[in-house]
């Protein structure tokens, strides 16, 4: 086997700047074989265990759920669903303490388990994954709730949908596990090599890479051997398992790419811009489980270690298991325990309580004693020794960034590429003045994000205010225009009336009453003339008595004499 | 002598026409300094500076008719940014209120709202929704926390609710600022 290790390694390795040789402390948790953790009474599942939008609950309190059932669906593109790790009853959907550096509570779904562990809603296995449509594979990975399990918890389906502008040629699989104490990836590679390779094959298909490089630090010979064996067995010539020197933080994405290929990912860019994509071994394993078994991400390997626990070991635990239960299953705390850290000693954060659940991204629980994690010494003045810059694996100038972060000059600290900082802690570790450099950078990062958010909000408020002013102005203009129109309309009718009056050749005068009378007379005369024309005479004149005839004649005579006097009046009635 | 006068006159004419042309060709609409000032202001449109809205305050600052310390929502940060931009000396905040109020949004107690629409008219960013005799509500994502809706409300059913700190907007503390010093255990491992 030793022979196999040496002959296969033909790959030229490169070096990133700085880094640290740390005592690896991995053997403690490898003395015992992997065990399955018992199903706890209660599981607490935070609705946000990933980067992106929080998931939306699909269940309500009192619902009975089955193992593998989706409890919360993703909201938006960058999001992931949450599944029930075992069967039981939903007892609460509320805020509970979660593992977060702030110690703040967040929305969770709490399940009281029934101990039956009944599967339900299991996804259809896809043994023929080489011929399944790519979009179906991606949909499956999304529906299985798979996120980057190296620690960042970025939804994998998004990362496995590379853009057209950046064709991927190399798939990097990260098995470096560079943080001291953590051994869960190591154990997974030792025991699940075949599954990991299936996962890699699926990922390779999805991103269209030609070759795959698996980088593993040389302090994990068993993992290297088992993966190499599996590669040879399955004749996967496009996969190279590469042993890299143990140097913290070679498991950083950009650092591993540099070590394996010699290429540097440009500042502020993702590896896809140089045709590479990087996934963790555990992610590859979970992808294989989701596709081959239809099993969503409901459990993971967790290392429980440190001098603060009686029996350091690795457990396969359900997501949502309380930290206290896992500690109990590792023999409980020892007397020396002083601090409980989630994650590794370099990048992990202290937990204020062990009554928080483990999440998808949690790879290690470190119950440290005073020697493993001493209290930070008081910070002294920076002496500009430059050791931090020499140790920085991201090629930054920590001492320079420190000055600006301390002065809260966020613009300047960003000019020094603050956002390329991976928070690995090398600078703080080597600082002879014990300055908590990483803390300054974390402060500057979150402060910058908040400022940016505020600026965006201010810009939006400005636009809304301007829109309101414009609307008010428009409404005012419209109102004025309406009033003007009304006025104009009114004066127009007046003018018209006036013009009608002046235009009529009426000499009766201005009185409209007289005008109406003349008009009526005119109409009557016209009517009478029309009747006379067509030979129709008033019928009441046919058979009249002599007296009546006389009377008519008299009236006629009087009228005609009257007509002679006044030519203006016509005959009245008929 | 004549040649000199002629040469100078010619030069003056040439440059004059050049300047005249560029003042038309490269005319700048409005005052760019106003925009720069406005970008620094918090855009709450609250009117606490005694000007109607942030734009008006920016114009007043550009014309030297206002002091740089008149914006309480922006606080000291904005005052210092303005002093940098305008080359003025930093001033203590007006009213001595150096510390900033925590960010808050207006919330209407909906069962008490009588639907008078007065707050809707007062809101500078159209963040209140409702119509006459119907309940009103605040779109909290759009609310700038200017408090202009508080005085017009006849039944005083609007509260200012401070923004809650949660895991998504939480910020790492300034090192040494508080006891809440969750430092990474990066000093000497093992």
């Amino acid at each position: 086997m030793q022979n196999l290790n040496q002959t296969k390694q033909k790959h030229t390795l490169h070096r990133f700047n700085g880094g640290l040789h740390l005592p690896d402390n991995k053997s403690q948790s490898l003395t015992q074989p992997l065990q399955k953790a018992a199903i706890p009474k209660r599981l607490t599942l935070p609705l946000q265990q990933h980067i992106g939008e929080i998931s939306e609950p699909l269940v309500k309190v009192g619902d009975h759920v089955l193992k593998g059932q989706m409890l919360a669906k993703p909201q938006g593109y960058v999001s992931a669903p949450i599944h029930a790790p075992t069967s039981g009853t939903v007892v609460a959907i509320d805020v509970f303490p979660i593992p977060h550096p702030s110690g703040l509570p967040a929305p969770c779904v709490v399940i009281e388990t029934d101990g039956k562990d009944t599967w339900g809603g299991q996804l259809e296995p896809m043994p023929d994954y080489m011929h399944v449509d790519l979009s179906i594979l991606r949909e499956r990975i999304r529906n299985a709730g798979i996120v980057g399990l190296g620690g960042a918890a970025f939804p994998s389906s998004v990362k496995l949908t590379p853009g057209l502008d950046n064709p991927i040629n190399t798939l990097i699989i990260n098995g470096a596990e560079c943080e001291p104490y953590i051994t869960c990836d190591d154990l997974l590679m030792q025991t699940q090599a075949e599954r990991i390779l299936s996962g890699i094959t699926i990922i390779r298909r999805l991103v269209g890479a030609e070759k795959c490089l698996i980088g593993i630090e040389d302090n994990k010979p068993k993992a290297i051997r088992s993966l190499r064996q599996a590669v040879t067995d399955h004749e996967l010539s496009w996969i190279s398992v590469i042993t890299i020197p143990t140097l913290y933080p070679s498991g950083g994405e950009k650092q591993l790419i540099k070590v394996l290929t010699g290429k540097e990912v440009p500042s502020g860019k993702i590896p896809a811009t140089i045709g590479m994509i990087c996934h963790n071994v555990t992610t590859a394993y979970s992808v294989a489980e989701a596709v081959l078994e239809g099993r969503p991400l409901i459990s993971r390997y967790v290392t429980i270690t440190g001098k603060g626990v009686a029996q350091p070991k690795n457990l396969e635990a359900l997501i949502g298991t309380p930290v206290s239960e896992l500690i109990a299953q590792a023999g409980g705390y020892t007397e020396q325990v002083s601090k409980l850290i989630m994650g590794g000693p370099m990048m992990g954060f202290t937990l204020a309580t062990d009554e928080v659940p483990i999440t998808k991204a949690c790879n290690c629980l470190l119950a440290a004693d005073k020697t493993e994690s001493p209290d930070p010494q008081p910070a002294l003045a920076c002496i500009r020794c430059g050791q931090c810059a020499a140790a920085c694996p991201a090629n930054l100038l920590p001492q320079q960034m420190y000055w600006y972060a301390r002065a809260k000059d966020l613009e300047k600290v960003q000019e020094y590429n603050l956002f390329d900082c991976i928070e690995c802690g090398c600078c703080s570790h080597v600082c002879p003045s014990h300055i908590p450099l990483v803390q300054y950078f974390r402060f500057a990062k979150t402060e910058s994000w908040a400022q940016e958010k505020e600026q965006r909000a201010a810009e939006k408020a400005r636009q809304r205010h301007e829109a309101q002013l414009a609307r008010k102005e428009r409404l005012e203009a419209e109102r004025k225009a309406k009033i003007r129109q009304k006025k104009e309309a009114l004066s127009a009718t007046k003018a018209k009336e006036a013009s009608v009056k002046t235009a009529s050749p009426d000499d009766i005068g201005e009185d409209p009453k007289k005008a109406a009378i003349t008009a009526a007379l005119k109409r009557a005369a016209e009517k009478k003339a029309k009747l006379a024309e067509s030979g129709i005479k008033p019928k009441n004149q046919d058979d009249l008595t002599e007296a009546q005839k006389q009377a008519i004649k008299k009236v006629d005579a009087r009228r005609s004499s009257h007509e002679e006097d006044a030519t203006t009046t016509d005959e009245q009635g008929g | 002598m004549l040649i000199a006068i002629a040469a100078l006159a010619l030069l003056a004419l040439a440059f004059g026409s050049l300047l005249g042309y560029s003042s038309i060709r490269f005319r700048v609409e409005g005052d760019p300094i106003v925009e720069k000032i406005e970008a620094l202001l918090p855009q709450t449109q609250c009117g606490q500076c005694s000007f109607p809205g942030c734009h008006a305050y920016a114009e007043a600052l550009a014309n030297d008719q206002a002091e740089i310390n008149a914006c309480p929502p922006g606080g000291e940060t904005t005052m210092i940014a303005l002093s940098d931009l305008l080359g003025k000396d930093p001033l203590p905040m007006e009213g001595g209120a150096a510390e900033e109020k925590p960010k808050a949004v207006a919330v209407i107690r909906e069962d008490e709202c009588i639907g008078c629409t007065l707050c809707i008219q007062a809101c500078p960013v159209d963040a209140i929704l409702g119509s006459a005799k119907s309940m009103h509500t605040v779109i909290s994502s759009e609310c700038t926390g200017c408090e202009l809706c508080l005085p017009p409300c006849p039944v005083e059913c609007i509260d200012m609710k401070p923004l809650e700190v949660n895991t998504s907007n939480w910020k790492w503390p300034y090192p040494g600022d508080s006891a809440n010093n969750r430092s990474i255990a990066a000093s000497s491992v093992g």
Side-chain angles (χ1 to χ4, degrees):
Chain A
M1 274 298 142
Q2 197 60 36
N3 193 22
L4 190 73
N5 272 353
Q6 309 219 309
T7 49
K8 284 263 169 122
Q9 187 87 35
K10 284 176 277 181
H11 195 90
T12 349
L13 293 175
H14 304 262
R15 230 199 98 99
F16 55 86
N17 179 60
L20 296 173
H21 290 286
L22 300 166
D24 69 9
N25 282 307
K26 291 192 188 252
S27 56
Q28 294 95 313
S29 53
L30 286 171
T31 51
Q32 297 204 24
L34 178 86
Q35 286 170 8
K36 255 197 160 120
I39 299 172
K41 281 207 174 63
R42 275 165 95 100
L43 290 169
T44 309
L45 295 139
L47 288 172
Q48 177 133 41
Q49 300 185 29
H50 49 263
I51 288 180
E53 292 289 312
I54 190 164
S55 351
E56 187 191 339
L58 293 171
V59 290
K60 51 187 193 301
V61 176
D63 282 1
H64 187 260
V65 292
L66 295 172
K67 184 175 187 172
Q69 186 182 333
M70 200 187 277
L71 295 178
K73 64 171 184 189
Q75 281 192 101
Y77 182 56
V78 184
S79 187
I82 313 282
H83 298 83
T86 184
S87 55
T89 314
V90 177
V91 290
I93 299 173
D94 205 349
V95 290
F96 287 99
I98 62 155
H100 191 269
S102 65
L104 291 166
C108 298
V109 174
V110 181
I111 298 174
E112 206 162 84
T113 57
D114 59 11
K116 291 178 194 148
D117 211 22
T118 331
W119 270 99
Q122 196 171 3
L123 302 160
E124 190 68 32
M126 296 180 184
D128 194 25
Y129 60 83
M130 284 313 279
H131 302 101
V132 174
D133 192 69
L134 292 185
S135 59
I136 294 173
L137 277 180
R138 283 192 190 105
E139 191 64 24
R140 163 59 54 90
I141 290 166
R142 179 172 162 92
N143 283 339
I146 293 169
V147 299
L149 296 170
F154 185 79
S156 296
S157 59
V158 179
K159 211 168 157 185
L160 290 173
T161 314
L164 292 171
D165 346 328
N166 299 313
I168 305 293
N169 54 49
T170 314
L171 169 64
I172 310 267
I173 295 293
N174 189 344
E177 199 167 54
C178 59
E179 272 228 51
Y181 289 93
I182 310 177
T183 54
C184 59
D185 285 358
D186 183 4
L187 218 58
L188 186 86
M189 288 188 278
Q190 288 182 34
T191 55
Q192 302 287 352
E194 305 232 333
R195 268 290 142 86
I196 292 171
L197 293 187
S198 309
I200 292 171
T201 315
I202 296 164
I203 293 174
R204 181 211 187 196
R205 234 199 115 201
L206 284 171
V207 298
E210 287 158 32
K211 55 175 181 178
C212 168
L213 308 174
I214 308 178
I216 307 172
E217 280 191 347
D218 57 10
N219 58 2
K220 290 178 266 297
K222 279 186 187 165
I224 296 166
R225 217 176 300 144
S226 105
L227 273 177
R228 281 203 173 138
Q229 193 61 54
V231 169
T232 341
D233 289 352
H234 293 268
E235 294 172 349
L236 299 167
S237 56
W238 50 274
I239 299 182
S240 336
V241 180
I242 297 160
T243 312
I244 58 170
T246 299
L247 178 69
Y248 180 81
S250 60
E253 186 175 65
K254 293 184 175 181
Q255 286 65 35
L256 185 64
I257 287 173
K258 170 86 189 193
V259 169
L260 289 175
T261 68
K263 288 188 184 164
E264 265 182 40
V265 181
S267 165
K269 296 278 169 58
I270 55 167
T273 50
I274 55 165
M276 293 185 202
I277 196 159
C278 186
H279 279 277
N280 180 269
V281 278
T282 315
T283 314
Y285 170 73
S286 306
V287 165
E289 288 278 294
V291 173
L292 296 176
E293 303 283 335
R295 194 182 139 97
L297 180 53
I298 51 174
S299 69
R300 68 157 299 144
Y301 289 14
V302 186
T303 307
I304 292 107
T305 187
K307 285 184 182 155
V309 286
Q311 302 154 19
K313 62 167 78 164
N314 277 278
L315 288 170
E316 186 182 355
L318 297 179
I319 307 294
T321 308
V323 167
S324 54
E325 297 250 353
L326 294 178
I327 297 280
Q329 286 178 50
Y333 295 110
T334 58
E335 275 174 20
Q336 298 106 290
V337 66
S338 71
K339 209 187 260 177
L340 186 60
I341 296 165
M342 183 168 276
M346 297 297 284
M347 294 183 70
F349 55 90
T350 313
L351 291 177
T353 160
D354 59 6
E355 285 311 314
V356 292
I358 61 153
T359 58
K360 290 176 182 177
C362 163
N363 51 8
C364 178
L365 293 168
L366 174 61
D369 73 353
K370 288 269 180 212
T371 58
E372 287 171 324
S373 176
D375 287 328
Q377 282 164 277
L380 305 171
C382 172
I383 55 168
R384 290 234 176 224
C385 63
Q387 281 192 46
C388 49
C392 181
N395 295 316
L396 300 175
L397 295 172
Q399 86 275 36
Q400 214 57 21
M401 288 158 62
Y402 158 66
W403 291 116
Y404 292 122
R406 208 174 88 147
K408 301 186 185 178
D409 190 341
L410 300 176
E411 216 170 287
K412 211 73 185 171
V413 69
Q414 281 173 47
E415 267 175 38
Y416 279 84
N417 300 315
L418 169 72
F419 287 106
D420 282 340
C421 169
I422 58 168
E423 301 174 25
C424 64
C426 289
C427 51
S428 307
H429 188 88
V430 298
C431 181
S433 293
H434 316 295
I435 298 168
L437 291 158
V438 176
Q439 253 185 283
Y440 277 102
F441 304 151
R442 283 175 165 168
F443 154 78
K445 277 185 184 179
T446 45
E447 202 65 37
S448 305
W449 285 325
Q451 209 179 53
E452 204 180 294
K453 216 167 130 189
E454 252 172 49
Q455 265 165 9
R456 270 203 306 272
E459 180 55 27
K460 208 163 117 194
R462 192 182 62 80
Q463 284 171 2
R464 286 179 77 88
H465 183 59
E466 273 173 10
Q468 192 193 49
L469 290 181
R471 192 190 70 225
K472 278 186 177 162
E473 214 167 276
R474 201 191 63 227
L475 287 178
E476 182 63 21
E478 271 172 19
R479 197 178 63 86
K480 276 188 180 157
K482 236 181 201 168
I483 291 172
R484 206 171 49 235
Q485 254 176 15
K486 258 189 185 165
K487 266 188 185 163
E488 270 168 16
L490 208 68
S491 55
T493 45
K494 264 188 187 166
K496 213 173 159 190
E497 275 168 14
S499 69
V500 165
K501 278 165 203 161
T502 45
S504 73
D506 207 350
D507 24 16
I508 300 167
E510 291 288 299
D511 199 345
K513 264 187 186 168
K514 275 185 185 168
I517 292 167
T518 15
L521 286 175
K522 217 174 171 182
R523 272 202 308 277
E526 267 167 18
K527 203 176 169 186
K528 204 180 173 186
K530 229 183 197 173
L531 291 172
E533 235 171 66
S534 50
I536 300 169
K537 283 179 181 172
K539 277 178 186 164
N540 56 355
Q541 291 183 5
D542 286 353
D543 41 311
L544 299 167
T545 57
E546 210 48 40
Q548 281 172 323
K549 279 180 188 168
Q550 283 296 324
I552 291 169
K553 256 185 198 162
K554 227 177 181 174
V555 170
D556 277 350
R558 198 177 65 217
R559 199 180 275 165
S560 54
S561 70
H562 192 81
E563 265 175 12
E564 275 161 28
D565 291 347
T567 42
T568 49
T569 41
D570 212 333
E571 45 208 290
Q572 308 239 340
Chain B
M1 181 65 181
L2 270 177
I3 293 169
I5 290 168
L8 282 173
L10 212 68
L11 276 173
L13 204 71
F15 284 116
S17 49
L18 188 72
L19 283 172
Y21 170 74
S22 24
S23 80
I24 296 161
R25 178 72 180 75
F26 304 110
R27 189 182 171 80
V28 179
E29 290 294 337
D31 195 350
I33 191 78
V34 174
E35 269 168 41
K36 278 188 196 164
I37 296 171
E38 232 194 322
L40 296 177
L41 297 176
Q43 302 295 337
T44 46
Q45 319 294 351
C46 61
Q48 288 181 65
C49 51
S50 79
F51 294 93
C54 297
H55 186 78
Y57 179 48
E59 272 177 358
L61 277 173
N63 298 331
D64 220 2
Q65 288 160 349
E67 288 298 343
I68 55 170
N69 60 352
C71 179
E76 218 167 45
T77 336
T78 301
M79 187 273 294
I80 286 168
L82 286 173
S83 85
D84 276 352
L85 177 70
L86 301 170
K88 289 184 176 177
D89 286 332
L91 296 167
M93 287 310 287
E94 242 173 33
E99 68 227 61
E100 292 166 34
K101 261 199 209 170
K103 283 238 163 357
V105 289
V107 178
I108 293 176
R109 288 197 298 277
E110 293 174 349
D111 44 349
E112 289 172 41
C113 172
I114 55 168
C116 66
T117 76
L118 288 175
C119 58
I120 295 180
Q121 291 159 37
C123 180
V125 290
D126 289 335
I128 305 180
L129 207 64
S131 61
K133 289 178 187 165
S134 308
M135 181 198 79
H136 305 338
T137 194
V138 178
I139 311 166
S140 46
S141 61
E142 308 294 351
C143 177
T144 62
C146 67
E147 302 186 8
L148 287 180
C149 53
L150 300 186
C153 181
V155 290
E156 294 189 2
C157 72
I158 307 177
D159 297 317
M160 295 308 293
K161 211 172 119 193
L163 275 188
E164 218 175 76
V165 179
N166 55 33
T167 47
S168 59
N169 66 10
W170 173 80
K171 295 186 280 186
W172 281 92
Y174 186 72
D177 245 10
S178 66
N180 186 20
N181 232 346
R182 292 168 198 288
S183 89
I184 61 159
S187 36
S188 110
V189 175

